[in-house]
Amino acid sequence: MESRDSSESHRKTEGVPGTLSTAVREHLRKLCLREFPCGTGSWNKSRFLPQTWRTWRELVPREEETVSAGEETVEALLGLVRSNHSPWALLKDSSAEDHFLRELAIQNPLMIKDAFFYSYFRSLRVVDKGVTLVDKDILKFLNLEELILSANKIEEINADHLPQTLKVLELYGNLITSIECLCSPAPPNLQHLGLGHNKLMGPLQSLHVTSSNWPKLVSLDLGFNDLTDLQSMILGLCTLQLLRLLVLQGNPLALVPYYRGFTVDSLARLCVLDDITVSPSEKHQFRGLSIHGDMLAREAQFVVTIGNVTGVMDSSVLDPEPGPEGPFISYSYYVTYDFVEDEDGEGNTFGMAETQPDSVLAEIVEPASSLEQIHPEPPGSISKEMSEFIAEMNQMAEDSGESGITDIEESETTISIRSAPLPQSIDSSEELSKLRPRLDTRLCPSPGTVLFSTVRKPWTDVIPCNYEMKHNLKELIRAKAFLLAGTMVTIVEEKILSWPVLPTPVESPLPPKKGKADKKEKEKKQKGAESAAKDKNVPKKKKEPPKELRQDPPVLRVLGSGLVYLEPLLAGESAVTTVCNFGVVRTLESDKLTNARDSKKTKKVLKKEKSKTPAPTFESTYQPEPLTVEVQIQLLQYRSVEEAFLSLID
């Protein structure tokens, strides 16, 4: 039976959801320590009948060879809780304490009282039980050394409610915003404090991780919070003389390139940092870096590399030859990705392997922006000059019986045509924003990011992008949020229709009539020139497009788009390297046309056709490649103190 004090305490906490004591009592209730096969009842009551003439030593039940009718032996009852196939068996994730209590409740149920619980438990594990408040009833656990309250909803803890005997306190995955609530006063014997995956932020947190609050702290885990000031945090940690294990990864402060070297050099007694052993050689590599910590730039540095694109369909083979009046069609291909930028717009550096001034495709889009705000003009809007030009070309096409907007593919002679751009380049942010409403939404950057692009390349089986870009970010919290969200990588096909510019008609006087002799002499010269050309076997020149062309706004088509997860960079990985696979987009028809165009009929081909053994058909060997692109995002980290000092010079 429960004592009167425990009953009163139970009435106070009963019905109060979210308290730790309520969660503990609910857990004990689910163990069914006073129900069959545990506790006392008709299944074992003869063993525990009160006998006043016995001494207190004889009150302890003893096993007997025989039991009364309708009762079970201790072995039989223990078998019911130990067997995995029994309906009374505990769950697989039950702790060793749970198993011990169940067996104790069978062997000696008279010991199962509140006083026993409060003195027995040295470890208390309440995980994912919706606890929001650590009430003072936890102080009744007189010998509690380990308290694990992970994956709950605790925002703060009154340190007065924590037993002074605690050596381990874990609060992973809660909503704690400050360490200060644990320091008034902190448990003096605490050796391990786990506060990972909470909401800790601000430079003031470093004031609470000092030896005055945690004099015996050996292990500290502050990973995956929002701590940004590495220098101030290290100042507080330096006072913890017994600190040997430290976890800071997952915080924005761990994104700076000198993070590990500066921490290792500042905390000379540290043995393990972010679950990686600190070796003597590593300490030697970063010796002296802590002295120059204030001179190092507090920014994260990323390098984005985009390699080869494969599996792109050659759209030009589906177009017929252009006519004299156009349009002349050209195709190019490029890869886009979005990347976060500082609010001041100075977060990206264009100065790596292949610099391109037009690599930014779109302006930064703030999180509150909408498509209507980004695109003030109606869908499909273009400049006034372009509208007049298109109307003129359509009218001319109608007069000649042809459509001015018919899609005509480019030929081999027009694939490299590039004429002067329109008065306002299509690569500019303003022009792209005008076209965006009629483009695929995947061509628009995510809120708070900027869209970057590789250089446009013509079609080949393997399109080498050779792209490398360095991004410097001073706002570390924005950088962490971006890594958690990932970047969207997109392969884009750009189709441009070019039209000949018609000369302005100018009235001129008619030429004077020439005599018949002059006319005959002209025809004679023309025939002589033609015969001379035939004798010299001069090949006919291919029809070339006019030199002066005007372009329509490009038509963009998304060939493939996918998300690249960057969270491993927060978890300690130095780079994320992947090959984005968007599936097969090529068709048998287009590849046959491409193959026929590229493999011109040579003598070897003719010999194969005449041979008795038939060559394998294109269809039998056809295995289309999927659309892929090679992507790598690297988080720069200094590997020695020399690299850190070189960055100061640069």
Side-chain angles (χ1 to χ4, degrees):
M1 298 292 291
E2 296 180 355
S3 64
R4 179 177 300 176
D5 293 340
S6 63
S7 299
E8 291 178 358
S9 174
H10 177 68
R11 285 195 295 270
K12 289 180 181 179
T13 58
E14 187 177 15
V16 181
T19 60
L20 178 57
S21 58
T22 302
V24 172
R25 290 184 178 278
E26 179 64 18
H27 178 70
L28 294 176
R29 184 187 68 79
K30 291 182 178 180
L31 292 179
C32 302
L33 300 179
R34 294 185 173 88
E35 300 175 10
F36 180 83
C38 303
T40 58
S42 60
W43 54 92
N44 61 358
K45 63 180 180 180
S46 63
R47 295 169 50 216
F48 303 101
L49 290 177
Q51 299 181 23
T52 56
W53 54 271
R54 289 185 179 181
T55 62
W56 66 273
R57 292 180 182 273
E58 295 177 343
L59 290 177
V60 178
R62 292 173 297 180
E63 282 196 49
E64 300 177 1
E65 296 182 359
T66 60
V67 294
S68 302
E71 296 186 3
E72 300 289 343
T73 63
V74 174
E75 288 78 5
L77 295 174
L78 289 175
L80 293 177
V81 298
R82 290 173 179 175
S83 174
N84 294 330
H85 304 289
S86 171
W88 293 279
L90 288 175
L91 299 176
K92 293 181 179 180
D93 60 346
S94 299
S95 64
E97 290 83 0
D98 293 344
H99 288 279
F100 174 79
L101 290 175
R102 290 292 297 273
E103 295 186 6
L104 181 64
I106 292 175
Q107 295 171 343
N108 199 345
L110 298 181
M111 292 184 62
I112 305 300
K113 295 181 180 180
D114 284 356
F116 167 76
F117 290 136
Y118 293 138
S119 62
Y120 165 73
F121 280 103
R122 284 172 172 76
S123 176
L124 196 59
R125 180 183 177 89
V126 182
V127 177
D128 195 16
K129 300 297 181 182
V131 175
T132 58
L133 177 65
V134 178
D135 53 336
K136 62 181 181 181
D137 282 359
I138 196 68
L139 296 175
K140 295 180 180 179
F141 292 89
L142 304 177
N143 299 316
L144 195 65
E145 296 180 353
E146 183 181 64
L147 180 59
I148 300 176
L149 301 175
S150 300
N152 284 290
K153 301 177 181 178
I154 302 171
E155 296 183 3
E156 65 176 27
I157 293 180
N158 188 343
D160 294 332
H161 294 170
L162 296 177
Q164 299 295 295
T165 56
L166 278 184
K167 294 182 180 179
V168 175
L169 177 60
E170 291 188 0
L171 295 163
Y172 294 102
N174 281 278
L175 306 174
I176 299 174
T177 58
S178 176
I179 309 176
E180 184 179 6
C181 62
L182 300 173
C183 303
S184 57
N189 299 316
L190 201 68
Q191 298 177 10
H192 169 70
L193 176 60
L195 287 171
H197 295 273
N198 275 277
K199 306 293 182 182
L200 301 177
M201 64 183 304
L204 297 180
Q205 302 303 319
S206 60
L207 302 177
H208 310 301
V209 287
T210 59
S211 58
S212 59
N213 293 321
W214 320 99
K216 298 183 179 181
L217 200 63
V218 177
S219 173
L220 177 62
D221 189 343
L222 300 176
F224 293 91
N225 283 279
D226 291 326
L227 303 173
T228 57
D229 195 339
L230 177 62
Q231 281 79 357
S232 63
M233 178 59 64
I234 294 300
L235 287 177
L237 296 175
C238 284
T239 65
L240 301 176
Q241 299 299 315
L242 299 180
L243 187 65
R244 298 295 181 269
L245 290 87
L246 176 64
V247 176
L248 290 175
Q249 69 182 13
N251 285 285
L253 58 79
L255 298 177
V256 296
Y258 54 88
Y259 154 69
R260 185 169 181 88
F262 181 78
T263 305
V264 167
D265 189 52
S266 301
L267 306 176
R269 299 180 180 87
L270 201 63
C271 297
V272 179
L273 175 60
D274 297 337
D275 298 327
I276 300 176
T277 302
V278 179
S279 63
S281 61
E282 187 177 19
K283 292 181 179 180
H284 177 74
Q285 289 174 358
F286 294 107
R287 182 175 298 171
L289 184 60
S290 59
I291 303 175
H292 306 279
D294 294 336
M295 301 174 59
L296 299 173
R298 304 185 182 187
E299 62 182 16
Q301 298 177 4
F302 300 90
V303 175
V304 178
T305 305
I306 298 179
N308 296 331
V309 177
T310 61
V312 177
M313 184 179 71
D314 185 7
S315 301
S316 63
V317 298
L318 302 178
D319 291 339
E321 289 287 336
E325 297 181 358
F328 302 98
I329 307 174
S330 63
Y331 291 89
S332 59
Y333 302 89
Y334 59 93
V335 180
T336 69
Y337 68 95
D338 56 337
F339 212 88
V340 71
E341 187 181 58
D342 291 334
E343 289 186 350
D344 57 5
E346 299 178 355
N348 304 292
T349 302
F350 309 93
M352 297 289 291
E354 189 171 299
T355 305
Q356 49 266 340
D358 60 341
S359 60
V360 179
L361 286 184
E363 73 282 359
I364 186 169
V365 183
E366 295 300 330
S369 300
S370 62
L371 286 176
E372 288 74 21
Q373 292 171 329
I374 298 174
H375 318 300
E377 298 189 18
S381 61
I382 55 177
S383 62
K384 181 179 179 181
E385 295 82 358
M386 180 57 65
S387 299
E388 295 176 353
F389 174 72
I390 293 176
E392 180 182 353
M393 294 303 299
N394 287 339
Q395 183 63 37
M396 292 181 60
E398 291 177 2
D399 296 340
S400 61
E402 297 179 358
S403 173
I405 58 173
T406 303
D407 289 336
I408 301 178
E409 288 291 339
E410 64 178 353
S411 66
E412 200 170 4
T413 59
T414 62
I415 194 169
S416 61
I417 290 179
R418 288 292 183 271
S419 62
L422 294 175
Q424 188 172 6
S425 173
I426 194 61
D427 291 333
S428 66
S429 301
E430 182 179 352
E431 194 68 20
L432 184 66
S433 65
K434 293 179 181 179
L435 292 174
R436 243 186 238 153
R438 69 185 194 188
L439 298 180
D440 195 303
T441 55
R442 290 170 290 183
L443 293 174
C444 304
S446 302
T449 62
V450 175
L451 201 65
F452 292 85
S453 165
T454 64
V455 174
R456 289 151 177 77
K457 296 290 184 69
W459 181 90
T460 57
D461 278 332
V462 178
I463 303 175
C465 293
N466 299 325
Y467 176 91
E468 192 173 275
M469 180 68 67
K470 184 177 180 181
H471 301 267
N472 296 334
L473 301 174
K474 297 179 181 178
E475 299 180 20
L476 300 178
I477 291 183
R478 289 170 64 93
K480 176 189 173 181
F482 170 71
L483 294 180
L484 290 173
T487 182
M488 187 67 68
V489 175
T490 305
I491 301 177
V492 184
E493 176 189 79
E494 182 180 82
K495 177 181 179 181
I496 298 180
L497 280 71
S498 302
W499 304 82
V501 177
L502 299 178
T504 305
V506 180
E507 294 184 1
S508 59
L510 295 175
K513 293 183 179 181
K514 297 184 179 180
K516 292 182 180 181
D518 295 339
K519 187 175 181 181
K520 289 181 179 180
E521 185 178 354
K522 185 176 181 181
E523 291 176 355
K524 186 177 180 180
K525 289 181 180 180
Q526 185 175 0
K527 290 179 180 180
E530 291 178 357
S531 61
K534 289 180 180 180
D535 294 338
K536 294 181 181 180
N537 296 322
V538 177
K540 293 184 179 180
K541 294 183 179 180
K542 293 183 178 180
K543 184 184 297 184
E544 295 183 357
K547 295 182 179 180
E548 191 174 359
L549 297 173
R550 295 198 67 178
Q551 297 177 350
D552 287 353
V555 178
L556 305 182
R557 182 166 70 97
V558 173
L559 303 181
S561 182
L563 184 66
V564 175
Y565 295 95
L566 303 178
E567 192 171 356
L569 296 178
L570 282 174
E573 296 291 336
S574 60
V576 171
T577 304
T578 184
V579 177
C580 300
N581 190 326
F582 305 123
V584 177
V585 299
R586 302 168 74 161
T587 63
L588 177 61
E589 179 185 5
S590 64
D591 281 1
K592 286 175 66 177
L593 294 173
T594 304
N595 184 63
R597 182 195 65 186
D598 295 342
S599 58
K600 298 179 180 179
K601 292 185 178 181
T602 60
K603 294 181 180 180
K604 294 182 179 180
V605 176
L606 293 175
K607 288 181 179 180
K608 287 183 179 180
E609 291 178 355
K610 293 179 181 180
S611 62
K612 295 182 180 179
T613 56
T617 60
F618 181 78
E619 291 83 351
S620 62
T621 59
Y622 179 66
Q623 291 182 351
E625 289 184 304
L627 180 65
T628 62
V629 58
E630 301 169 348
V631 180
Q632 182 186 73
I633 295 92
Q634 180 183 5
L635 174 64
L636 294 184
Q637 293 286 344
Y638 299 145
R639 292 168 292 183
S640 64
V641 67
E642 288 78 11
E643 286 190 11
F645 290 158
L646 286 176
S647 68
L648 297 177
I649 299 175
D650 295 340

